[in-house]
Amino acid sequence: MINTGKLAGRTLFITGASRGIGKEIALKAARDGANIVVAAKTAEPHPKLPGTIYSAAEEIEKAGGRAHPCIVDVRDEVQVRTAIQEAVAKFGGIDIVVNNASAISLTNTPNTDMKRYDLMHNINTRGTFLVSKECLPYLKKSNHAHILNISPPLSMLPKWFGPHVAYTMAKYGMSMCVLGMAEELKDDGIAVNALWPRTAILTAAIEMLTGAESAQWSRKPEIMADAAYAILSREPKQFTGQFFIDDEVLEGAGIKDLKQYACVPENADNLMVDFFVEAKGATAATAAPAAAGASTPTAGSDNGKIPQLFQKIESLLSPEIVSKTQAVFQFNISGAEEGIWYLDLKNGSGSCGSGTPPTTPDSTLTMNSNNFFDMFSGKLKAAPAYMTGKLKISGDFQKALKLEKLMKALKSKL
């Protein structure tokens, strides 16, 4: 998307702007000559995550904007208020708030400790509410006031809650702020909207969740930045309370070829759909996966394949594989070959078979038999399967994703 200059001189307060989507939105606005408040926690380089508020500020100024880096934990009222006061003192006001800061834990109820629960809710929901609330006096003075939350459309489908209800509640809290504040502030001329990606976006967070190969099925953060720019360039009184999806925004702006945003252009038609949305063109009814335990394949269609598969896996086990994996997996299979199987890659030289594992599993994977075969044959990757509801994971999420590397190594031998 070509910059139009509509954000020149505007001041954007962006949380979580030191990296990822937040930084890309900042850079896009900076090319118009906007003022950017980089409100994030990272002041010193992180051992695993790139970028600090200072390195982001340097990039913003090189792009043509003015930057003010602020150490801000959105859970801290004093830090938030101080950053806002500094922004107003330096730039004269605040026109746009982008609530991007977020925390994620894709754990089920038993595996979500309350410290992690509180972190997600305090950053996602409370932080969004706090930053928006404290910026309101200045937004009301602006003639181009926007609040944009990086949060999903609200949907009450159980499949978005079951695997990680704590995260869904926290993320939907941001979206509920959109719904409520849009109605509350419409007479003040403040647009309050949400933006969410159709597909996985290549950020440090997605790489930590799904591994180094996540680029294969992700889009670049630039697609979110371009979509945000299109929204924030509009007159705020013309629309509010909308839940936008990035590709729909860009198509509405006349950008039809989205291949440029794919990290790997050859995979542009085979991207991983993000949480809380359906694939392009699909409806909730057609895209919803079969419930866990539903027996969708014809009985007997895969008869005997699972025992043969595990026999083959057993013949390939070695101390080397065990030392690299260090995890015990349980597979709850529904469909034509319903049953429970295990793979112990933690003890001795490894073992596998039917029934529950001899020791407590680190990860339990639930899927139907067709998806199970597709996953072990390399046709279905674990991370996209999880995000689209074809695979349910309880226990250690990261160890479950280690299976992908194992399957890739064993694929030629199975």
Side-chain angles (χ1 to χ4, degrees):
M1 172 168 286
I2 299 171
N3 279 67
T4 61
K6 288 185 177 179
L7 299 185
R10 298 295 184 184
T11 298
L12 288 78
F13 190 100
I14 307 177
T15 66
S18 61
R19 62 177 68 94
I21 292 170
K23 188 182 79 169
E24 288 301 325
I25 293 174
L27 289 171
K28 184 67 178 178
R31 295 184 190 107
D32 266 7
N35 308 315
I36 311 295
V37 183
V38 183
K41 291 194 303 179
T42 310
E44 299 294 329
H46 190 281
K48 294 183 179 179
L49 301 173
T52 67
I53 57 173
Y54 305 111
S55 63
E58 185 178 353
E59 289 184 58
I60 288 163
E61 302 224 331
K62 285 180 179 178
R66 296 173 65 199
H68 181 59
C70 294
I71 300 173
V72 176
D73 182 337
V74 295
R75 297 171 293 178
D76 188 318
E77 293 179 54
V78 174
Q79 287 188 12
V80 169
R81 290 192 185 111
T82 299
I84 291 170
Q85 289 164 5
E86 289 179 5
V88 172
K90 182 167 184 175
F91 298 129
I94 294 173
D95 300 291
I96 295 168
V97 173
V98 179
N99 288 303
N100 169 70
S102 187
I104 183 171
S105 180
L106 300 176
T107 47
N108 61 12
T109 300
N111 291 294
T112 304
D113 60 70
M114 294 315 295
K115 183 178 180 181
R116 178 63 60 175
Y117 178 96
D118 289 342
L119 178 72
M120 289 190 288
H121 283 259
N122 286 338
I123 291 177
N124 299 7
T125 305
R126 186 179 182 277
T128 294
F129 185 91
L130 171 62
V131 170
S132 302
K133 174 181 182 292
E134 294 298 326
C135 286
L136 275 182
Y138 307 102
L139 292 172
K140 288 180 179 180
K141 295 176 183 178
S142 172
N143 62 0
H144 193 80
H146 286 265
I147 297 174
L148 182 65
N149 294 351
I150 307 304
S151 64
L154 290 166
S155 168
M156 293 296 106
L157 288 175
K159 68 176 181 176
W160 302 132
F161 290 83
H164 39 68
V165 63
Y167 172 63
T168 299
M169 290 165 64
K171 206 64 192 176
Y172 275 15
M174 296 176 71
S175 300
M176 291 170 72
C177 285
V178 170
L179 197 64
M181 291 182 187
E183 180 67 17
E184 177 185 356
L185 303 173
K186 63 183 181 182
D187 292 336
D188 294 302
I190 301 172
V192 187
N193 297 287
L195 174 64
W196 192 246
R198 173 80 62 189
T199 70
I201 301 296
L202 186 64
T203 62
I206 198 73
E207 285 191 278
M208 288 178 69
L209 284 171
T210 64
E213 291 188 354
S214 53
Q216 296 291 321
W217 54 75
S218 300
R219 282 176 172 155
K220 303 170 189 175
E222 285 88 337
I223 190 171
M224 286 289 285
D226 282 359
Y229 180 81
I231 294 167
L232 298 174
S233 296
R234 298 180 187 178
E235 288 300 316
K237 292 183 179 180
Q238 292 179 357
F239 68 103
T240 191
Q242 302 297 307
F243 293 89
F244 293 106
I245 305 300
D246 57 358
D247 57 0
E248 293 177 355
V249 172
L250 295 180
E251 287 172 1
I255 299 174
K256 304 301 182 183
D257 182 9
L258 302 181
K259 185 176 288 188
Q260 61 182 305
Y261 296 109
C263 296
V264 180
E266 295 78 12
N267 292 345
D269 296 324
N270 190 32
L271 300 172
M272 178 166 62
V273 179
D274 205 354
F275 298 108
F276 311 119
V277 290
E278 310 295 353
K280 187 71 172 176
T283 64
T286 60
S295 183
T296 52
T298 304
S301 61
D302 292 320
N303 188 40
K305 285 187 178 181
I306 289 183
Q308 292 174 28
L309 177 62
F310 274 96
Q311 286 173 13
K312 188 65 175 177
I313 292 172
E314 188 173 28
S315 70
L316 299 172
L317 297 181
S318 67
E320 182 184 4
I321 291 175
V322 170
S323 66
K324 287 182 178 179
T325 311
Q326 284 297 290
V328 177
F329 305 101
Q330 178 172 316
F331 303 93
N332 296 339
I333 308 298
S334 62
E337 290 199 53
E338 184 175 348
I340 297 174
W341 296 79
Y342 75 90
L343 178 58
D344 184 348
L345 297 177
K346 196 175 194 178
N347 302 296
S349 299
S351 62
C352 61
S354 62
T356 57
T359 59
T360 303
D362 294 290
S363 299
T364 298
L365 293 83
T366 301
M367 69 196 90
N368 71 41
S369 54
N370 283 349
N371 290 334
F372 180 81
F373 294 126
D374 285 348
M375 201 164 75
F376 270 88
S377 65
K379 295 178 183 177
L380 181 66
K381 293 183 179 295
Y386 177 80
M387 294 184 76
T388 55
K390 294 177 180 179
L391 166 65
K392 293 187 176 181
I393 298 173
S394 60
D396 193 315
F397 186 82
Q398 295 295 334
K399 287 188 176 179
L401 293 182
K402 279 188 175 183
L403 267 178
E404 193 148 311
K405 291 183 179 179
L406 172 68
M407 288 181 278
K408 188 175 180 180
L410 296 180
K411 182 181 175 182
S412 62
K413 301 175 183 177
L414 289 174

